[in-house]
Amino acid sequence: MLKTEAQDIEHLLALAKRSSDFTVSTVSFTQPPLSICYYKTLIDEKLLQEQLLRAMESCAAEIHDLEDLKRLLTIDGIQITDCIQDIQSMLFKGSAIVRLTEHSGLCALVPLTSKEGLRKNNDTDNEFSVVGPKVGFVEDLDINLHLIRSQIAVPNLIVKTLSLGSMSNSRVAIVYIDGVTNQDNVAVIEDRLRTLDFEVVFDTSQLDQIISDNSWSPFPLFVSTERRDRVIYSLISGQVAVISDGSPYFITGPSTLYDFFISPEDYYLPWMLGSFFRIIRILGVLFSVFASALYVAITTFHYEVIPQDLLPPLILSRQNVPFPPVLEVLFLEITIEFLREAGARLPTKIGQTLGIVGGIIVGQAAVEAALCSNILIIIVSLSALASFATPIYKMSNTIRFLRFPVIILASFWGSIGLFFGICFILIHITRLKSVGSPYTVPIYPLRPKDLRDSFIRSNYEITNMRPSYLKPETILRYIPKRIKKKSDWEQE
């Protein structure tokens, strides 16, 4: 397991100095001089300036030791200790370490905790879940790093800050856990970012496209998320997280295809329920991609596979439709996309009304005008609903796109065209890589132990190992222990 406690104060400071957001400054107007150490993403800069530095400056002549500092400052909760566990704990809760000399183990811990980012309206809009925390990121890099550090309170959490964009000089942070994340993955992502030549970095999603292994693929190769708990889980699993200033989204990698079907809510429910809903998600995606194409293939080439009881209603629903099935399907699919785009660009209440009313009116009018069949409206509607079962919006867009080439292939060659489409998708995703890691692992290459958290979410007693395909430096996450239960009739 990863060691998360420093041996002494010097070791703690040496670990912390590897992060760009850790600051060590010297106050020379006191005798003897004082050194102040803190994470600038965890403290309140206003409190630091007004209640600590200005107060120390006004009574500098009276400060001779840490006890004088504690007596003269008006900040509540100041502790003087040499216990390394207390020092490390308070440092990651937003306290500043004040020392008399660089080689002194005795420290004054001054609480300057920042509350930024912990707001009532700081919800996750696009990745909503009923169960679990709903803390999301904002368009400020320091606040986002503060939210991460407040959850992972160990000095092994490393933040490397780069400046990208020839015009914007945007700050981009690389976040990982030293001792867990494979350093080769960190080096690859850092090298790709440092060699980036771009004018303005508007959002982390741009970096996703530029540094990915294959920019020609419609499949996203990095998970993009606005949820803190998803980023935390990625970090403790051994992935690398990247975010740019001005963006509320992190990207994490190396990612696999199955990461895009995992919802944080899976881990807040009993493992059987979490596994069930994850399987429903995957089946919904398969239905969304192939249902309309299967309708085209059957109604164009393969009437013989339709059950005899279902054939008369299908013929009745299409007898007045003047178009071939492919045009009928494309008309409805494009209409659904129009409604989606219009609803997304309008204010929330208007967009919801447009989606519901527009869908009902257009669907009913299309049937009455004999432009499409009733059965097709049901299939396309279910396909549209199933595409939203994916927790990651980027993968949802990919699913929406894939339906169209598969429909066209099915219209040319029927089931053979559908088979070609499936084979092409499978070949394509097996050739993809994310930061050099196979995209379809643990299925291909096969990693049986990693299947514990892919199609299903196993019990916490089983998922105590990090994914092997990430090649983490520490494979063991925690040691599961069974709770010994006593029956009511057993003696105490």
Side-chain angles (χ1 to χ4, degrees):
M1 293 179 67
L2 176 68
K3 289 186 176 181
T4 58
E5 290 186 358
Q7 300 172 1
D8 51 37
I9 184 64
E10 298 299 334
H11 184 216
L12 175 61
L13 296 181
L15 292 173
K17 285 178 181 177
R18 296 178 299 171
S19 293
S20 305
D21 60 336
F22 185 75
T23 301
V24 179
S25 58
T26 302
V27 178
S28 57
F29 50 73
T30 61
Q31 291 299 328
L34 298 173
S35 66
I36 304 177
C37 314
Y38 56 90
Y39 282 99
K40 61 183 180 181
T41 54
L42 291 178
I43 69 162
D44 190 326
E45 292 280 353
K46 187 176 181 181
L47 292 177
L48 175 68
Q49 296 293 333
E50 295 182 357
Q51 297 193 25
L52 181 58
L53 295 180
R54 290 184 184 177
M56 291 173 62
E57 186 177 8
S58 62
C59 54
E62 303 178 45
I63 299 176
H64 303 290
D65 54 27
L66 297 180
E67 290 293 342
D68 292 336
L69 181 70
K70 181 178 180 180
R71 176 175 52 85
L72 293 171
L73 293 181
T74 59
I75 302 175
D76 294 330
I78 298 178
Q79 300 180 28
I80 298 178
T81 181
D82 59 355
C83 177
I84 187 60
Q85 288 82 7
D86 294 340
I87 295 172
Q88 177 174 318
S89 176
M90 294 300 294
L91 174 65
F92 287 100
K93 289 181 180 178
S95 294
I97 300 175
V98 182
R99 306 170 66 201
L100 282 175
T101 63
E102 293 185 357
H103 303 287
S104 173
L106 193 65
C107 303
L109 304 175
V110 184
L112 303 170
T113 307
S114 172
K115 299 296 183 182
E116 288 184 320
L118 303 177
R119 306 192 311 265
K120 293 182 179 179
N121 60 344
N122 193 27
D123 293 338
T124 52
D125 295 329
N126 297 324
E127 296 178 70
F128 181 80
S129 65
V130 179
V131 184
K134 299 171 179 61
V135 179
F137 298 110
V138 294
E139 288 81 1
D140 186 279
L141 181 62
D142 292 331
I143 293 178
N144 294 334
L145 294 178
H146 164 76
L147 292 173
I148 295 295
R149 283 207 179 274
S150 62
Q151 191 93 41
I152 304 181
V154 294
N156 301 73
L157 181 67
I158 307 300
V159 177
K160 292 185 178 180
T161 305
L162 310 176
S163 180
L164 300 181
S166 58
M167 292 185 178
S168 63
N169 288 321
S170 303
R171 289 189 302 156
V172 176
I174 304 172
V175 188
Y176 65 96
I177 300 178
D178 185 42
V180 172
T181 308
N182 188 287
Q183 292 298 318
D184 292 338
N185 294 333
V186 179
V188 169
I189 292 179
E190 184 176 357
D191 181 64
R192 291 180 183 179
L193 289 173
R194 288 190 183 278
T195 57
L196 180 64
D197 186 9
F198 210 65
E199 293 177 331
V200 178
V201 178
F202 291 101
D203 189 78
T204 314
S205 299
Q206 289 180 297
L207 302 178
D208 177 358
Q209 302 173 56
I210 297 172
I211 69 173
S212 63
D213 296 58
N214 187 347
S215 60
W216 294 95
S217 174
F219 288 88
L221 300 181
F222 288 88
V223 172
S224 178
T225 179
E226 61 177 344
R227 293 183 63 107
R228 178 173 68 169
D229 52 355
R230 184 184 283 274
V231 176
I232 297 296
Y233 185 79
S234 299
L235 290 173
I236 64 176
S237 296
Q239 293 180 321
V240 185
V242 178
I243 189 171
S244 66
D245 202 3
S247 172
Y249 284 90
F250 271 85
I251 58 172
T252 60
S255 300
T256 67
L257 180 64
Y258 309 101
D259 290 336
F260 294 90
F261 302 102
I262 294 175
S263 172
E265 196 170 2
D266 296 344
Y267 301 96
Y268 305 136
L269 297 172
W271 70 270
M272 286 188 180
L273 296 180
S275 300
F276 173 74
F277 292 133
R278 188 177 295 182
I279 293 172
I280 289 294
R281 246 176 260 130
I282 296 174
L283 294 178
V285 167
L286 294 176
F287 179 85
S288 178
V289 174
F290 301 112
S292 298
L294 191 60
Y295 173 87
V296 171
I298 290 175
T299 54
T300 306
F301 298 98
H302 310 291
Y303 271 106
E304 67 278 3
V305 303
I306 302 174
Q308 188 174 359
D309 295 336
L310 185 60
L311 191 58
L314 182 60
I315 295 175
L316 183 64
S317 66
R318 294 208 71 253
Q319 65 180 355
N320 295 322
V321 178
F323 306 112
V326 61
L327 293 182
E328 182 186 5
V329 170
L330 289 177
F331 167 74
L332 271 185
E333 291 284 0
I334 293 173
T335 302
I336 291 289
E337 295 302 322
F338 285 157
L339 290 172
R340 277 182 178 175
E341 289 299 311
R345 304 294 176 264
L346 290 172
T348 305
K349 294 182 179 179
I350 301 176
Q352 291 175 351
T353 305
L354 174 68
I356 296 172
V357 177
I360 295 173
I361 293 175
V362 172
Q364 185 66 27
V367 172
E368 292 181 356
L371 296 178
C372 62
S373 65
N374 289 321
I375 295 177
L376 180 60
I377 287 184
I378 296 173
I379 293 174
V380 171
S381 300
L382 290 176
S383 298
L385 288 175
S387 67
F388 287 112
T390 312
I392 304 299
Y393 181 70
K394 283 190 174 182
M395 182 56 75
S396 175
N397 290 338
T398 301
I399 294 165
R400 291 163 57 185
F401 167 77
L402 288 177
R403 288 209 298 264
F404 290 95
V406 174
I407 289 171
I408 293 173
L409 285 174
S411 69
F412 285 138
W413 299 295
S415 59
I416 297 177
L418 189 60
F419 178 76
F420 282 157
I422 295 173
C423 290
F424 178 82
I425 293 174
L426 289 176
I427 293 171
H428 177 68
I429 61 177
T430 52
R431 291 173 59 88
L432 289 177
K433 291 186 177 182
S434 175
V435 197
S437 178
Y439 195 56
T440 53
V441 69
I443 295 297
Y444 178 81
L446 183 62
R447 300 285 189 273
K449 291 184 178 180
D450 293 338
L451 290 172
R452 299 169 181 174
D453 194 10
S454 55
F455 292 106
I456 63 171
R457 198 278 282 182
S458 301
N459 196 314
Y460 280 123
E461 294 181 0
I462 301 176
T463 58
N464 63 319
M465 309 290 285
R466 294 185 173 90
S468 61
Y469 62 85
L470 294 175
K471 300 178 182 178
E473 296 183 359
T474 306
I475 192 71
L476 185 64
R477 292 175 53 199
Y478 55 87
I479 301 176
K481 294 182 179 180
R482 288 183 174 271
I483 299 175
K484 295 182 179 180
K485 301 178 181 179
K486 288 187 176 182
S487 302
D488 294 339
W489 57 81
E490 289 186 13
Q491 297 289 334
E492 289 289 341

